[in-house]
C-alpha cells in the first residue's frame, strides 16, 4: 500500500471502534494517524501536533461531543476537512452537514457506522485530488493583497477555466461552467478562495466578468471551428445586477465576438434573489431578451422561495451538490431530486445536477430521470488549451462505447 501524505485525527469515544478506524486508516496508507476519545482531548492533540488534513469525527459521545468540537475548530484552521462517522439517523447527520458548511469547514463525506475501507478509501483519494488541497500552503491560506489582485487582473493572470456539463443519458458535452484561476508567475495556480473575496470587496467583479467573457467567447469560437458547440455558463452575483451598464456591456462583448446571446448562461445563487429590487429584475429580463439563459445555482442550499422561482425569468435550476453527496444513504435526498425534476418540467425549466462524483451516483440519477449534470466523475475544471485537447478525446472515447 503506497504511503499517502495525510495527517488524520480520529475522534471516537468507543475504544474498539476507535482502534478499528485508526488501523484501517493506517492500512490505507495514511502517513500519520492520531486519536482522541472526545472533543476536549482532540483539541489538546491538535494543539500538540499542529493542523491535520482530515478529522474522522463521531458526533455523540461523553465529554465534549463532536458538535462542540466542530464549533471550536471551525475558525481555527486546525482541520481542513471533516468526515462524519456516526450512527445517528440520516436526517440528523444531514443537519450536521449544514452546520459543517456554515462553520466554513469542508465536508469530505459521511461514512456512517460501521466503517468500511471501500467507503473510506475513495474519500481519502478525493481529498488528495482536490484542487483546494493542492493549494493549501501557508503562503495561500491568507487572502491576497488588493494591490496584487489588481495587478493580476490588469496583467491577465486571472484566467478562465472550464468544467464541462454533460448529458447523463448520452455522455455528450453540452456546455461548460466558466470558473477562474490565478496563474501566478511564481506561485503557480492559485485558488479563487485567495483572491475572489478581494475582488468582491474592491468592486471588481464586473471587470472580472467582462475579462472572462472575452476569454471564453474566444475559446468558444475555436471550439466551434473544431465541431463543438459549447454553451458558456458564467457565475453572476445578485449585486452585479444593480449595475445599469451590465447588460449593455455584455451585449457589446457578444457583438464583438459575433456570438448570439443563446450561447451564454448566467448562474446566480438563490440567496439574495428573494428580495431582488426592480433594477435587478430589469437586468434579468434584459439578459433573457438578449437570448441568454438564466440558471438558479445551488438550488436548495438556501431558503428557496417557490413563489419567487415562478416570478423570476429563470429557465434552469442547478440543484445543490449536497443532495448528490448523500443520495445513496438518504431517501429524503432522492425525494428532493425527484421533486425538483418534476418542478422543472412543470415550469419548463431544465434541471442540472451538480457534484456527481461516482458511477453509483450517476446510475441512481439516471434511474430518477436526470438528464443534465456535472462533477468530477465526468471532468474536472481545466484551462482552455486543455479543454480543446480533451473534447475530441472525449468524443473518441464515447464513440468506442457505442
Amino acid at each position: 500500500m503506497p504511503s499517502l501524505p495525510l495527517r488524520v485525527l480520529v475522534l471516537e469515544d468507543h475504544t474498539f471502534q476507535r482502534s478499528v478506524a485508526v488501523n484501517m486508516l493506517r492500512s490505507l496508507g495514511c502517513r500519520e494517524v492520531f486519536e482522541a476519545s472526545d472533543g476536549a482531548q482532540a483539541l489538546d492533540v491538535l494543539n500538540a501536533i499542529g493542523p491535520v488534513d482530515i478529522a474522522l469525527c463521531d458526533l455523540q459521545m461523553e465529554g465534549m461531543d463532536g458538535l462542540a468540537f466542530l464549533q471550536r475548530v471551525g475558525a481555527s484552521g486546525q482541520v481542513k476537512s471533516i468526515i462524519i462517522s456516526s450512527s445517528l439517523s440520516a436526517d440528523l447527520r444531514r443537519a450536521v452537514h449544514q452546520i459543517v458548511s456554515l462553520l466554513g469547514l469542508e465536508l469530505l463525506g459521511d461514512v456512517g457506522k460501521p466503517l468500511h475501507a471501500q467507503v473510506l478509501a475513495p474519500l481519502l483519494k478525493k481529498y488528495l485530488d482536490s484542487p483546494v488541497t493542492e493549494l493549501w500552503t501557508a503562503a495561500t491560506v491568507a487572502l491576497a493583497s488588493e494591490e496584487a489582485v489588481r495587478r493580476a487582473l490588469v496583467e491577465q493572470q486571472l484566467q478562465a477555466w472550464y468544467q464541462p456539463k454533460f448529458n447523463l443519458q448520452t455522455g455528450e458535452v453540452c456546455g461548460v461552467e466558466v470558473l477562474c484561476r490565478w496563474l501566478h508567475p511564481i506561485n503557480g495556480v492559485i485558488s479563487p478562495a485567495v483572491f475572489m473575496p478581494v475582488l468582491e470587496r474592491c468592486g471588481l467583479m464586473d471587470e472580472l466578468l467582462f475579462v472572462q467573457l472575452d476569454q471564453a467567447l474566444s475559446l468558444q469560437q475555436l471550439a466551434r471551428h473544431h465541431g463543438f458547440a459549447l454553451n458558456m455558463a458564467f457565475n453572476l452575483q445578485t449585486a452585479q445586477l444593480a449595475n445599469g451598464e451590465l447588460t449593455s456591456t455584455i451585449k457589446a462583448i457578444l457583438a464583438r465576438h459575433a456570438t448570439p446571446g443563446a450561447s451564454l448562461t448566467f448562474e446566480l445563487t438563490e440567496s439574495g434573489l428573494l428580495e431582488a429590487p426592480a433594477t435587478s429584475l430589469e437586468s434579468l429580463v434584459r439578459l433573457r431578451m438578449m437570448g441568454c439563459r438564466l440558471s438558479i445555482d445551488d438550488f436548495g442550499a438556501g431558503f428557496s422561495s417557490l413563489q419567487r422561482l415562478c416570478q423570476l425569468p429563470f429557465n434552469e435550476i442547478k440543484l445543490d451538490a449536497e443532495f448528490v453527496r448523500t443520495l445513496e444513504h438518504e431517501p429524503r435526498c432522492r425525494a428532493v431530486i425527484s421533486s425538483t425534476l418534476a418542478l422543472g418540467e412543470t415550469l419548463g425549466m431544465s434541471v442540472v445536477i451538480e457534484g456527481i462524483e461516482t458511477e453509483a451516483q450517476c446510475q441512481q440519477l439516471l434511474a430518477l430521470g436526470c438528464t443534465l449534470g456535472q462533477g468530477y466523475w465526468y471532468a474536472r475544471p481545466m484551462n482552455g488549451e486543455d479543454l480543446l485537447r480533451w473534447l475530441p478525446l472525449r468524443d473518441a472515447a464515447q464513440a468506442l462505447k457505442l
Side-chain angles (χ1 to χ4, degrees):
M1 172 66 65
S3 175
L4 303 178
L6 292 174
R7 310 181 87 217
V8 184
L9 171 63
V10 177
L11 177 55
E12 167 66 64
D13 66 340
H14 192 284
T15 304
F16 176 71
Q17 292 185 16
R18 186 169 69 249
S19 175
V20 168
V22 169
N23 290 329
M24 189 179 295
L25 287 162
R26 285 175 177 158
S27 70
L28 289 170
C30 293
R31 184 179 63 194
E32 296 178 274
V33 182
F34 308 94
E35 57 184 290
S37 61
D38 67 12
Q41 188 178 40
L43 292 174
D44 289 340
V45 170
L46 289 173
N47 289 333
I49 66 168
V52 297
D53 298 291
I54 300 168
L56 179 66
C57 187
D58 190 9
L59 297 174
Q60 202 168 24
M61 63 190 80
E62 297 297 327
M64 182 188 289
D65 62 22
L67 291 177
F69 170 75
L70 293 173
Q71 289 277 1
R72 293 286 295 272
V73 299
S76 71
Q78 291 175 297
V79 177
K80 301 174 192 176
S81 293
I82 301 293
I83 297 176
I84 299 297
S85 175
S86 173
S87 56
L88 288 175
S89 62
D91 59 330
L92 282 177
R93 297 204 312 271
R94 185 155 186 265
V96 175
H97 297 176
Q98 296 298 315
I99 293 173
V100 171
S101 177
L102 290 170
L103 290 172
L105 294 165
E106 179 193 5
L107 180 65
L108 201 58
D110 183 340
V111 295
K113 283 185 177 179
L115 276 178
H116 296 286
Q118 63 267 34
V119 175
L120 200 52
L123 295 179
L124 302 180
K125 184 179 185 300
K126 174 184 172 182
Y127 177 86
L128 290 170
D129 289 344
S130 169
V132 175
T133 302
E134 297 166 8
L135 298 165
W136 188 289
T137 65
T140 58
V141 169
L143 292 179
S145 69
E146 178 179 338
E147 180 185 2
V149 172
R150 287 184 179 275
R151 184 168 61 250
L153 190 57
V154 170
E155 296 179 0
Q156 297 189 349
Q157 295 173 17
L158 302 185
Q159 291 289 310
W161 278 41
Y162 308 88
Q163 183 171 25
K165 296 181 180 179
F166 287 82
N167 183 308
L168 273 62
Q169 297 174 343
T170 66
E172 177 189 3
V173 180
C174 50
V176 295
E177 180 178 358
V178 182
L179 306 170
C180 187
R181 298 291 185 268
W182 182 356
L183 304 187
H184 195 281
I186 297 173
N187 298 329
V189 180
I190 296 179
S191 164
V194 175
F195 61 88
M196 201 62 75
V198 182
L199 288 167
E200 294 177 23
R201 188 178 68 233
C202 298
L204 296 172
M205 293 302 292
D206 286 348
E207 190 171 341
L208 175 66
L209 173 65
F210 302 148
V211 168
Q212 286 196 304
L213 276 165
D214 269 321
Q215 293 175 359
L217 291 180
S218 296
L219 184 79
Q220 185 185 58
Q221 192 169 35
L222 288 173
R224 193 181 299 119
H225 287 327
H226 289 87
F228 298 99
L230 298 178
N231 181 280
M232 297 282 180
F234 298 83
N235 291 290
L236 194 63
Q237 294 186 344
T238 307
Q240 292 177 265
L241 297 173
N243 178 2
E245 303 299 318
L246 177 73
T247 55
S248 59
T249 304
I250 292 173
K251 189 173 184 178
I253 294 172
L254 284 168
R256 188 160 66 244
H257 289 271
T259 300
S263 68
L264 298 187
T265 296
F266 290 98
E267 299 181 2
L268 294 95
T269 55
E270 60 173 316
S271 58
L273 287 171
L274 300 184
E275 301 298 331
T279 51
S280 298
L281 295 179
E282 180 181 341
S283 293
L284 291 175
V285 171
R286 289 191 180 280
L287 288 171
R288 282 292 307 276
M289 289 170 65
M290 289 160 52
C292 302
R293 293 180 60 80
L294 296 179
S295 176
I296 293 187
D297 197 9
D298 297 334
F299 185 75
F303 299 95
S304 311
S305 168
L306 296 182
Q307 180 186 30
R308 210 60 169 142
L309 185 62
C310 294
Q311 294 172 341
L312 296 172
F314 284 81
N315 44 15
E316 180 179 280
I317 297 171
K318 288 191 76 177
L319 192 62
D320 185 63
E322 181 61 30
F323 294 104
V324 176
R325 290 192 188 102
T326 52
L327 174 62
E328 297 175 61
H329 314 291
E330 175 54 84
R332 293 187 184 187
C333 289
R334 287 193 291 275
V336 168
I337 293 171
S338 294
S339 298
T340 304
L341 290 169
L343 178 66
E345 183 176 2
T346 302
L347 297 178
M349 301 172 70
S350 57
V351 178
V352 179
I353 308 297
E354 297 185 277
I356 305 172
E357 296 184 346
T358 68
E359 169 70 18
Q361 290 171 345
C362 181
Q363 292 305 317
Q364 289 190 62
L365 290 169
L366 282 169
L368 290 172
C370 300
T371 302
L372 302 174
Q374 69 182 102
Y376 283 7
W377 173 247
Y378 291 101
R380 293 175 177 275
M382 62 191 87
N383 62 35
E385 188 177 328
D386 288 342
L387 178 67
L388 291 177
R389 279 197 295 262
W390 176 85
L391 284 168
L393 293 175
R394 170 75 188 185
D395 252 17
Q398 284 298 114
L400 291 174
K401 293 180 181 179
L402 299 177

